[in-house]
Amino acid sequence: WRVEGNYDLVGENYQAEAGFVRRTGLHRAEAGLSYRFYPPSERIANHGPSLSTFHIFDPDFEKTDAGWEASYQFSFLDRSGLRVSYEQLYIRLLDPFDPTNSVGNILETGTAYNWGTAFLNYESNARKLFNYEATLGYGGFYNGTRLFLESQVNFRFQPYGSISVNLTYNDLQFPTPFQDANFFLVGPKLDLTLSTSVFFTAFIQYNEQIDNINTNIRFQWRYQPVSDLFIVYSDNYFPSPFNVRNRALVAKVSYWFN
């Protein structure tokens, strides 16, 4: 058995300059319960159900957010896993909000929405050179519906590095007069270990939602323990026509006084 509980109180005037608290003026309560079976199996390490819930209230104890999730999870002896879950959410908007963040589907302050979503997630054995994870979901989304796919594929070519690709697809459907939206995000990443002290990372991402191509390239030289030289190049482009939004070249040196 596993039992969890949490309660947070964040004052309205709390200043979270470091960003660890994203929202002020709330009471938040969370609880969770799960159970695991450990069968005498040649494939399954354990499996079992989980149930969790959360509730968020404003300082006057008016409910603004709530939800619960029920799931069943299988953990296999090869370290892969399969999870099936259903989530129910309630949100009352505190400000005008566009759920697509792009096409101007403005939902009014004070309106409330309640929807459910079903998920299927599979994670392969991360110890293998080639491994992957994928999540498929379908359900409501504010006043519409959402079909989404999230996946990550990784390949390690030891001892030199790894290459990975992140992929996210969202198909958002809304009633008239709201506009439907489809968003696609893909981000390949390359990590190279050129030696025990020289490292190279390159990341490219295309985000259809904000119509942006981003590149980030980082060189790292660890010239002595806990002391590094970083050189980072980053830029952003409009996909069509292919023009530069912004670019930067940054250098950073750290030295450990011991």
Side-chain angles (χ1 to χ4, degrees):
W1 288 98
R2 180 182 178 93
V3 180
E4 300 175 272
N6 180 66
Y7 172 76
D8 294 322
L9 167 62
V10 185
E12 291 184 89
N13 298 319
Y14 180 70
Q15 298 297 317
E17 300 294 347
F20 295 110
V21 175
R22 294 180 296 175
R23 178 173 162 187
T24 60
L26 61 83
H27 301 265
R28 176 172 52 218
E30 301 170 316
L33 177 67
S34 62
Y35 184 81
R36 291 291 178 266
F37 301 93
Y38 291 84
S41 170
E42 296 183 356
R43 287 203 62 190
I44 299 176
N46 62 77
H47 64 93
S50 299
L51 181 65
S52 62
T53 183
F54 75 93
H55 295 268
I56 300 178
F57 302 89
D58 65 19
D60 298 323
F61 283 96
E62 295 289 334
K63 184 169 67 174
T64 62
D65 305 73
W68 61 267
E69 182 183 42
S71 65
Y72 204 97
Q73 178 175 319
F74 294 87
S75 296
F76 301 101
L77 289 171
D78 66 357
R79 304 305 297 271
S80 62
L82 177 67
R83 187 170 184 263
V84 180
S85 60
Y86 178 81
E87 179 184 67
Q88 189 74 29
L89 290 177
Y90 166 85
I91 290 181
R92 176 169 59 87
L93 296 180
L94 305 180
D95 297 288
F97 178 64
D98 177 4
T100 67
N101 195 33
S102 64
V103 298
N105 293 346
I106 303 300
L107 305 177
E108 299 298 328
T109 300
T111 54
Y113 303 91
N114 198 328
W115 71 87
T117 305
F119 301 89
L120 177 64
N121 171 267
Y122 177 77
E123 183 177 355
S124 71
N125 181 2
R127 298 175 301 175
K128 291 188 175 182
L129 297 182
F130 176 78
N131 59 85
Y132 60 92
E133 180 179 1
T135 301
L136 177 67
Y138 178 77
F141 189 68
Y142 291 91
N143 62 333
T145 62
R146 178 172 73 137
L147 170 68
F148 71 95
L149 172 66
E150 297 178 350
S151 65
Q152 182 177 32
V153 179
N154 307 284
F155 178 73
R156 298 195 306 273
F157 42 97
Q158 293 177 322
Y160 303 106
S162 66
I163 185 169
S164 63
V165 178
N166 293 302
L167 172 68
T168 302
Y169 173 75
N170 282 275
D171 181 7
L172 306 178
Q173 303 289 323
F174 297 98
T176 306
F178 293 93
Q179 299 182 53
D180 298 336
N182 295 278
F183 297 124
F184 182 78
L185 183 146
V186 61
K189 181 179 181 180
L190 174 66
D191 283 295
L192 290 178
T193 300
L194 304 177
S195 71
T196 57
S197 59
V198 178
F199 312 95
F200 176 84
T201 300
F203 175 74
I204 301 174
Q205 183 185 78
Y206 170 62
N207 188 333
E208 185 181 19
Q209 185 178 34
I210 60 175
D211 196 33
N212 185 73
I213 296 176
N214 168 248
T215 302
N216 186 279
I217 300 173
R218 185 185 70 181
F219 171 83
Q220 178 185 356
W221 173 36
R222 176 151 290 183
Y223 55 89
Q224 68 178 36
V226 202
S227 301
D228 299 275
L229 167 66
F230 295 96
I231 300 176
V232 180
Y233 172 78
S234 62
D235 55 29
N236 289 274
Y237 296 91
F238 293 98
S240 180
F242 194 73
N243 293 322
V244 176
R245 292 175 184 258
N246 55 70
R247 58 167 51 118
L249 181 65
V250 179
K252 173 185 174 181
V253 179
S254 64
Y255 179 78
W256 183 34
F257 294 91
N258 183 9

